[in-house]
């Protein structure tokens, strides 16, 4: 037999089909990760799939929404809500800070007809994190449906949809969980299902449809999947969950908090005009630290220079207009380590030096080590 005609085997390609029992068991592990008794649906796509599906399932022309904007994803949610026909009141705060429960309460009091609130927990793009527990209490008192994007926060800080009164909580595994990007999940409360069932515009027989998953998967006893699952991504998610369970979620969260603290301390010691973009450490997301560059240095150019020494460092410039002034240190997942933080600080310091700034990389590395919890 010629080499060309011989069967080629591969461990990724020659797997037995993923059983419905195994699929359901992975959903159950996600539910335990979230400490939730709500239904959990794992959708076969990146987190934008359930993020959009949850809005289109619950919002329509009769919806009045409060959309909290602390970064680009909040802006996207407002666009989706308006596209659904909802009346939207935006609560926008500067990207270098976080929203407060007092601001949400004030907006709800000003517009008592609001019945839907959308919020991003942590904005990795801008580096801030919002006080969901306090905001959730305000939303619960008002009686509105509460939609939360926890894609960047899960694994880096507590995410507790039941305790916080979250009706739709979307997560993705590709950041702090250190898992795949090709599958994502959403927990859905009973009243969110009721809202969807009453919404004539909720997607049906659609890849965006959560109701399809409820009626054809959950209500049917999780015996038959709607379509062929993303097998490799599901197995990667299962492995990711196993790793978090083995290490302990508290330990994973602590590692991300230490990485954020070490990065901020290192930047203050580094000098050269670099400073945290989010001014208050209490409002800074543990998943990633954003930095503001000196006024005479373009962030994208500084990052490009820093990556010359090691392209694998977790550094990127901000998106869009923020590429001029913002740097992200993406210390999440496998990069939530002291070594990744110290090497990122060294590379940034060296690059700043090439731009003529006076820096102290040794002091930065030492400060990072002392701040690591």
């Amino acid at each position: 037999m010629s080499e060309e005609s011989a069967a080629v085997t591969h461990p990724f390609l020659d797997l037995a089909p993923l059983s419905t029992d195994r699929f359901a068991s992975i959903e159950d592990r996600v539910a335990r990760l979230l400490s939730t008794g709500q239904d959990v649906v794992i959708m076969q796509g990146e987190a934008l799939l359930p993020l959009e599906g949850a809005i289109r399932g619950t919002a329509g022309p009769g919806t009045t929404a409060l959309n909290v904007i602390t970064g680009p994803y909040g802006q996207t949610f407002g666009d989706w809500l308006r596209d659904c026909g909802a009346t939207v009141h935006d609560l926008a705060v500067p990207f270098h800070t976080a929203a407060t429960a007092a601001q949400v309460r004030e907006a709800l009091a000003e517009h008592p007809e609001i019945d839907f609130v959308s919020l991003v927990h942590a904005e990795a793009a801008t580096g801030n994190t919002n006080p969901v527990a306090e905001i959730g209490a305000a939303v619960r008192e008002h009686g509105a449906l509460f939609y939360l994007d926890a894609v960047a926060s899960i694994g880096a800080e507590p995410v507790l949809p039941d305790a916080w009164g979250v009706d739709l909580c979307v997560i993705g595994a590709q950041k702090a969980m250190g898992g795949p990007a090709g599958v994502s999940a959403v927990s859905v409360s009973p009243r969110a299902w009721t809202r969807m069932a009453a919404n004539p515009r909720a997607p049906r027989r659609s890849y965006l449809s959560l109701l399809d998953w409820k009626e054809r998967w959950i209500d049917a006893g999780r015996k038959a999947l709607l379509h062929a699952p993303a097998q490799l991504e599901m197995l990667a998610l299962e492995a990711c969950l196993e790793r978090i369970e083995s290490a302990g979620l508290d330990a994973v969260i602590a590692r991300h908090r230490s990485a954020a603290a070490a990065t901020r301390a290192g930047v203050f010691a580094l000098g050269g005009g670099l400073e945290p973009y989010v001014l208050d450490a209490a409002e800074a997301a543990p998943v990633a630290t954003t930095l503001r560059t000196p006024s005479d240095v373009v962030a994208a150019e500084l990052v490009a220079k820093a990556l010359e020494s090691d392209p694998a460092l977790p550094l990127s410039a901000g998106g869009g207009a923020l590429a001029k002034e913002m740097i992200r240190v993406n210390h999440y997942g496998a990069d939530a380590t002291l070594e990744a933080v110290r090497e990122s600080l060294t590379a940034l310091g060296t690059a700043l030096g090439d731009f003529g700034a006076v820096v102290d990389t040794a002091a930065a590395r030492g400060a990072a080590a002392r701040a690591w919890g």
Side-chain angles (χ1 to χ4, degrees):
M1 183 181 292
S2 69
E3 185 174 324
E4 287 79 12
S5 62
V8 177
T9 62
H10 195 287
F12 289 160
L13 301 179
D14 301 305
L15 296 166
L18 191 71
S19 70
T20 55
D21 285 346
R22 193 162 183 183
F23 191 104
S25 74
I26 299 171
E27 283 186 335
D28 292 341
R29 294 175 95 152
V30 172
R32 289 195 294 272
L33 178 72
L34 292 171
S35 298
T36 185
Q38 298 178 5
D39 290 327
V40 168
V41 176
I42 297 180
M43 300 190 78
Q44 306 298 283
E46 198 270 339
L48 281 172
L49 176 62
L51 284 169
E52 183 174 359
I55 282 180
R56 296 198 181 277
T58 51
T63 302
T64 302
L66 175 65
N67 180 49
V68 183
I69 301 176
T70 58
Y73 280 99
Q75 293 172 325
T76 297
F77 300 157
D79 292 339
W80 286 341
L81 286 161
R82 290 182 177 90
D83 189 57
C84 289
T87 299
V88 181
H89 301 282
D90 288 326
L91 170 57
V93 303
F95 288 176
H96 63 263
T97 187
T100 68
Q103 290 171 318
V104 170
R105 279 196 169 88
E106 182 179 349
L108 294 173
E110 185 177 353
H111 301 283
E113 70 277 16
I114 287 170
D115 60 4
F116 185 100
V117 175
S118 51
L119 176 71
V120 178
H121 187 179
E123 285 267 12
T126 50
N128 54 41
T129 190
N130 291 299
V132 182
E134 292 85 353
I135 290 174
V139 176
R140 188 163 56 247
E141 291 166 11
H142 187 79
L145 203 73
F146 191 16
Y147 163 101
L148 183 70
D149 171 357
V151 174
S153 55
I154 185 68
E157 51 190 308
V159 177
L160 301 167
D162 291 10
W164 297 342
V166 179
D167 295 290
L168 296 155
C169 182
V170 178
I171 67 168
Q174 68 267 32
K175 288 188 168 65
M177 287 177 66
V183 289
S184 47
V186 54
S187 65
V188 186
S189 74
R191 68 179 193 149
W193 285 131
T194 299
R195 177 80 71 97
M196 282 186 226
N199 181 8
R201 294 197 177 193
R204 299 287 190 122
R205 301 295 175 178
S206 164
Y207 210 56
L208 283 170
S209 178
L210 283 168
L211 279 175
D212 286 356
W213 281 99
K214 175 171 172 52
E215 295 171 357
R216 298 165 57 193
W217 170 246
I218 297 172
D219 291 350
R222 298 197 296 184
K223 300 298 183 185
L225 290 162
L226 277 62
H227 43 71
Q231 171 139 321
L232 297 181
E233 287 82 0
M234 288 295 294
L235 295 176
L237 176 60
E238 182 181 52
C240 162
L241 291 163
E242 287 177 353
R243 187 163 59 183
I244 292 172
E245 290 165 0
S246 177
L249 179 58
D250 289 346
V252 175
I253 289 173
R255 184 161 52 86
H256 285 83
R257 284 177 170 162
S258 291
T263 302
R264 288 181 74 89
V267 165
F268 283 125
L270 180 65
L274 204 62
E275 60 185 19
Y277 187 85
V278 178
L279 303 180
D280 186 344
E283 297 177 341
V287 67
T289 298
T290 48
L291 307 173
R292 191 184 301 275
T293 56
S295 59
D296 59 342
V297 176
V298 176
E301 295 175 1
L302 183 63
V303 168
K305 175 67 69 173
L307 291 176
E308 288 178 2
S309 61
D310 183 358
L313 289 173
L315 298 173
S316 63
L322 294 175
K324 295 181 180 180
E325 63 177 358
M326 179 193 286
I327 292 172
R328 287 172 50 187
V329 184
N330 299 307
H331 45 65
Y332 53 72
D335 289 316
T337 66
L338 177 57
E339 186 60 21
V341 169
R342 283 161 56 107
E343 290 305 312
S344 296
L345 291 167
T346 299
L348 289 172
T350 301
L352 280 168
D354 290 344
F355 279 90
V358 177
V359 296
D360 190 338
T361 55
R365 291 173 65 91
R370 289 189 297 274
W372 187 274

